[in-house]
Amino acid sequence: VDIFSKLPSMGPRQATRLAFYLAALGKNQIKEIAGAISGLNELTICARCFRTHLGQGKFCVICSDPTRNQSLIAVVEKETDLLSLEKTKKFNGWYLVIGELHKNGELEPEQKLRLASLKSFIKKELGDKAGEIILATNPTIYGDLNASTLKKELEEYAQKITRLGRG
């Protein structure tokens, strides 16, 4: 219960329910869940987009796909945002997972390092500027504030900086 209650959005009552649920499962299901959790040790972070991926390579399957448009980049907060865009099958560029943005519009040191990595990639691989950088932040007041911060950081590295449509 103590371990489960440390999970996001998991209070003590829900953690207790989960513990009893798992304890009541059969041995095969418990082994399957334990194997899945143990497999998390095999995950690595992509050196280009900072997405968690399973594999031995330096890059994830998206960043290592030569058919994707490298000059089209979407900056997303979380990997779940990346998955949502991928499900549409409409976006053929690559991503930068910046990390969860704060309500004050300031970037954490790790986020600044990720932006520096993107800037370095653009200069080395794309010549001078990316064709388009899409700021795929949440459509809220705080998302707008963070998009403004990111735009200031990236405006000299892209021919065009856009936001996702709303409506």
Side-chain angles (χ1 to χ4, degrees):
V1 172
D2 291 338
I3 291 170
F4 294 140
S5 64
K6 293 176 185 174
L7 295 172
S9 303
M10 183 79 64
R13 285 184 62 194
Q14 193 170 10
T16 303
R17 282 191 214 114
L18 180 59
F20 280 114
Y21 171 79
L22 292 173
L25 292 176
K27 288 186 180 193
N28 288 337
Q29 286 180 307
I30 291 173
K31 280 184 183 178
E32 186 178 340
I33 292 170
I37 291 172
S38 178
L40 294 174
N41 285 330
E42 304 298 318
L43 296 176
T44 58
I45 303 292
C46 177
R48 185 176 293 159
C49 71
F50 301 98
R51 173 183 178 223
T52 304
H53 70 102
L54 181 61
Q56 305 294 326
K58 186 177 177 181
F59 300 120
C60 68
V61 294
I62 293 172
C63 291
S64 58
D65 182 352
T67 64
R68 293 186 82 103
N69 181 354
Q70 289 190 352
S71 75
L72 178 62
I73 302 161
V75 179
V76 297
E77 284 187 62
K78 301 173 286 204
E79 294 182 55
T80 52
D81 300 331
L82 182 153
L83 294 174
S84 294
L85 284 172
E86 280 297 293
K87 277 184 185 177
T88 67
K89 297 187 187 310
K90 300 287 184 195
F91 182 73
N92 191 34
W94 67 276
Y95 300 89
L96 175 71
V97 180
I98 192 77
E100 195 163 346
L101 296 166
H102 296 288
K103 294 181 177 183
N104 62 8
E106 292 181 21
L107 299 173
E108 295 288 324
E110 184 178 340
Q111 293 168 329
K112 289 179 183 178
L113 288 173
R114 289 180 179 196
L115 280 177
S117 174
L118 174 63
K119 292 172 186 177
S120 175
F121 169 80
I122 290 170
K123 282 196 172 205
K124 286 180 187 172
E125 302 294 326
L126 303 179
D128 190 26
K129 293 186 175 196
E132 180 179 4
I133 296 177
I134 301 167
L135 302 176
T137 57
N138 287 326
T140 63
I141 294 170
Y142 301 117
D144 292 344
L145 175 63
N146 285 308
S148 163
T149 301
L150 291 170
K151 184 176 181 179
K152 287 177 191 170
E153 286 280 333
L154 296 169
E155 59 192 354
E156 66 185 72
Y157 294 90
Q159 294 172 11
K160 178 168 59 168
I161 294 181
T162 58
R163 294 280 314 270
L164 293 177
R166 305 184 210 194

